[in-house]
Amino acid sequence: MDEMLIRLHGLTKLYGSQRALDGVDLELGRGKIVGLLGPNGSGKTTMIKLLCGLLRPTAGEVLIDGALPGPYTKSVISYLPDRMYFADWMKTSDLVDFFTDFYADFDRKKAAEMFSALNIRPGDRIRTMSKGTKEKVQLVLVMSRRAQLYLLDEPIAGVDPAARDFILSTILTNYNESGTVLISTHLIADVERVLDEAVFLQNGHVVRHDTVDHIRELEGKSVDQLFREIFRAVPYQGGDL
Amino acid sequence: MFGKLMKYEMKSLTRGLLPLYGAILAVAVINRVLMGISLNSGMGIPEVIAMMVYFGLCVAVGVVTIMAVVQRFYKGLLCDEGYLMHTLPVRPVELVLSKLTGATVMTILSGVVGVVSVLILMSVGLNFVDFFAVDWLGGFRDLFRNFPSWPLAVLECLLVGLFCVTGQIAQLYAAMALGHLSNKHRVAMSFVWYLVISTALSALLGIFVTVANATGLDYWLTQLTSAMNSSLCLHLGLILTVLAYLVKTAIFCGVTNHVLTNKLNLE
């Protein structure tokens, strides 16, 4: 077992001529909740997709538990994308069967309990669910695995504050504590209280990687305040005529 | 894992097609009954309507089968559902082969249902007494005497049909996978790739025939086949056809697997 769960070496991803990630070097250990923080377009989703094997790097290397992305790394990663990835004809019970079949670390009992607490019945079809319920179903399935790495892409974007609390508490109470949770977001104030470490991404570069406690101690400010400082955009105030 | 992938693939494919199969067979039976009644009195409006519904369903089965084959691959692997399928702990080749196997089974099943429905319609006026009075056993005995290896030829014909289907589906998959490499207009680019591949295959065949003519290869082939007995010649032809379709299937599956393994670019 590799001491570091994630190792990225010179990771670069180009979309045409546009550089989404540019020579990223990063190492993340085990048993942590890490915030992948950056404004829109900074490369957060690209990095997560490279980690779970949905994209191939243009250059550089991704190692998860010492292995290149493939069937092994996919068996230890639980991924929550920023969109719905289920076929809408499926029922909740179909999805539970699907996860049971493909993921040895899926806890069927835990998923059933969480669905029951949310009043989601096994016979409910995805097609008939509201957007919020679909997101909850996806979150329940992802967090019912005892994965080594949870990759959560913008889990609290576009939901109301009550739903944010539900999502964060679901993550905190259900993740495998010997595993690592990587949460990508630009809503720092909401997640700051749960983070152990923060990785700041800007224009495809890691501009800072530190523990949250160290940031607070060294900078004398919260991660949210530091984020606003690093990513401050000067508003256009009119041109001189 | 392949078996599990197949389980979900078949569940997804049969969901839309099985009710259509049931409908087409039921309408064929209704047509058969109406035709039996009107055998002497001629076709009335109910018979015409029933026949139109039957032909409509035949077209629907064909269209829905092609749509299902294309959609299960495109939506399942290259759109949002791809986020789930490509993060499963399986190799991309297993994903491609499960899609190909499922699509082939359903295409063949659609064909079989079509043939069965036609047989139901053709049974109008069939006299079962006459049918069983035919000396089928004697007929088979004659067939074995004149063409002893006919079961092998039947098997080879079935294999030609099977791999012709897999070759066509694999070509569709390769076109969609190559179209997916474009950053924009991926659906349109998939159509373009399909046309390019089809044109290239026709051109290759044309080049082969031209070269065979120019080099005298066709003359040698004619000499060779005339030296063989007709049965051997038929088997050789069928086996070569099977091999050609197998190679086509393998090449296009290889292209698709290469794109999904090394160039996957889900947006």
Side-chain angles (χ1 to χ4, degrees):
Chain A
M1 185 189 280
D2 193 336
E3 181 195 338
M4 286 292 163
L5 184 58
I6 297 176
R7 291 181 194 271
L8 307 181
H9 302 300
L11 191 63
T12 301
K13 179 66 187 176
L14 299 178
Y15 295 115
S17 59
Q18 195 183 342
R19 247 166 224 277
L21 284 181
D22 191 5
V24 169
D25 292 304
L26 180 68
E27 293 188 342
L28 294 175
R30 295 167 190 275
K32 300 172 194 300
I33 300 182
V34 183
L36 185 58
L37 314 176
N40 294 327
S42 56
K44 304 187 296 293
T45 295
T46 298
M47 185 186 282
I48 285 187
K49 284 185 182 177
L50 285 162
L51 286 166
C52 62
L54 285 176
L55 289 177
R56 305 284 174 252
T58 309
E61 189 179 52
V62 176
L63 293 173
I64 313 286
D65 194 24
L68 291 167
Y72 168 69
T73 66
K74 290 174 185 181
S75 73
V76 298
I77 292 176
S78 193
Y79 168 55
L80 182 74
D82 57 350
R83 64 193 69 208
M84 279 305 303
Y85 64 9
F86 300 132
D88 61 2
W89 59 267
M90 287 180 126
K91 292 182 285 194
T92 313
S93 57
D94 293 327
L95 294 169
V96 170
D97 290 342
F98 188 92
F99 270 63
T100 308
D101 273 344
F102 286 102
Y103 297 111
D105 59 10
F106 182 71
D107 187 340
R108 196 183 172 100
K109 191 164 162 272
K110 185 198 257 187
E113 285 167 2
M114 286 163 81
F115 280 135
S116 172
L118 289 164
N119 284 325
I120 298 171
R121 292 179 299 269
D124 290 352
R125 267 186 208 285
I126 297 289
R127 188 184 293 136
T128 61
M129 292 176 185
S130 69
K131 183 171 173 277
T133 308
K134 286 178 189 172
E135 284 172 355
K136 283 174 186 163
V137 167
Q138 202 153 282
L139 182 71
V140 164
L141 291 166
V142 167
M143 296 314 299
S144 294
R145 290 183 55 196
R146 283 191 60 79
Q148 287 190 41
L149 177 60
Y150 298 86
L151 296 174
L152 313 178
D153 194 2
E154 303 278 8
I156 55 169
V159 297
D160 60 72
R164 278 180 207 173
D165 285 345
F166 165 79
I167 290 167
L168 288 175
S169 64
T170 303
I171 294 168
L172 279 178
T173 50
N174 292 288
Y175 80 101
N176 169 20
E177 288 184 11
S178 62
T180 285
V181 183
L182 186 64
I183 306 175
S184 93
T185 186
H186 54 268
L187 302 167
I188 320 297
D190 291 293
V191 297
E192 183 168 350
R193 63 189 165 87
V194 306
L195 298 181
D196 297 310
E197 291 182 15
V199 175
F200 287 79
L201 263 184
Q202 188 174 35
N203 299 326
H205 295 93
V206 172
V207 290
R208 183 147 187 185
H209 173 206
D210 211 339
T211 65
V212 169
D213 289 343
H214 193 236
I215 288 172
R216 287 192 190 123
E217 194 181 312
L218 199 71
E219 306 286 344
K221 56 186 79 159
S222 69
V223 177
D224 186 40
Q225 286 169 318
L226 182 64
F227 180 87
R228 287 169 198 271
E229 215 168 82
I230 293 177
F231 300 111
R232 179 180 294 128
V234 179
Y236 178 68
Q237 295 182 336
D240 297 328
L241 288 173
Chain B
M1 284 293 184
F2 182 77
K4 290 172 182 171
L5 287 172
M6 278 308 303
K7 177 176 140 189
Y8 286 95
E9 193 56 28
M10 292 311 294
K11 201 171 178 179
S12 176
L13 280 167
T14 52
R15 206 176 48 86
L17 280 165
L18 284 187
L20 262 182
Y21 294 162
I24 202 169
L25 291 175
V27 172
V29 170
I30 291 169
N31 271 286
R32 161 72 181 78
V33 171
L34 288 175
M35 284 162 79
I37 293 168
S38 64
L39 203 58
N40 298 319
S41 59
M43 281 178 84
I45 291 173
E47 287 83 359
V48 172
I49 291 174
M51 193 49 85
M52 282 169 68
V53 171
Y54 170 73
F55 283 119
L57 280 170
C58 284
V59 173
V61 166
V63 171
V64 171
T65 304
I66 295 169
M67 291 288 289
V69 167
V70 171
Q71 275 211 340
R72 280 309 304 151
F73 184 84
Y74 195 77
K75 283 181 74 178
L77 294 184
L78 302 176
C79 295
D80 286 355
E81 279 177 50
Y83 282 76
L84 176 64
M85 300 311 289
H86 288 292
T87 48
L88 293 176
V90 297
R91 289 172 300 148
V93 70
E94 291 178 275
L95 293 174
V96 176
L97 290 180
S98 67
K99 297 278 175 205
L100 180 68
T101 311
T104 304
V105 168
M106 293 317 289
T107 305
I108 291 171
L109 211 53
S110 293
V112 168
V113 168
V115 169
V116 169
S117 72
V118 169
L119 288 177
I120 291 172
L121 292 179
M122 281 170 60
S123 67
V124 174
L126 181 73
N127 186 333
F128 284 95
V129 177
D130 290 346
F131 182 80
F132 288 109
V134 173
D135 181 16
W136 292 104
L137 209 64
F140 276 114
R141 213 178 293 127
D142 287 346
L143 188 62
F144 265 113
R145 196 180 308 124
N146 298 325
F147 184 23
S149 60
W150 73 267
L152 183 62
V154 169
L155 177 68
E156 287 161 355
C157 284
L158 290 176
L159 288 177
V160 167
L162 173 69
F163 290 114
C164 176
V165 170
T166 59
Q168 284 299 327
I169 295 170
Q171 184 181 337
L172 276 171
Y173 288 176
M176 285 186 271
L178 291 167
H180 158 86
L181 293 177
S182 305
N183 285 326
K184 288 178 183 172
H185 313 301
R186 290 179 169 182
V187 175
M189 287 309 293
S190 300
F191 277 109
V192 171
W193 271 110
Y194 187 79
L195 291 176
V196 167
I197 293 169
S198 301
T199 311
L201 287 176
S202 302
L204 265 177
L205 194 63
I207 290 168
F208 175 75
V209 172
T210 312
V211 169
N213 279 328
T215 57
L217 183 67
D218 60 337
Y219 171 77
W220 287 109
L221 280 175
T222 313
Q223 292 295 312
L224 188 71
T225 49
S226 58
M228 289 188 237
N229 69 44
S230 55
S231 165
L232 182 64
C233 196
L234 177 72
H235 288 307
L236 193 65
L238 286 171
I239 288 168
L240 284 176
T241 311
V242 169
L243 283 177
Y245 281 132
L246 250 178
V247 169
K248 180 184 171 184
T249 306
I251 289 173
F252 288 133
C253 280
V255 169
T256 308
N257 183 49
H258 175 76
V259 172
L260 297 186
T261 306
N262 302 305
K263 309 273 181 191
L264 187 64
N265 201 4
L266 290 183
E267 283 185 339

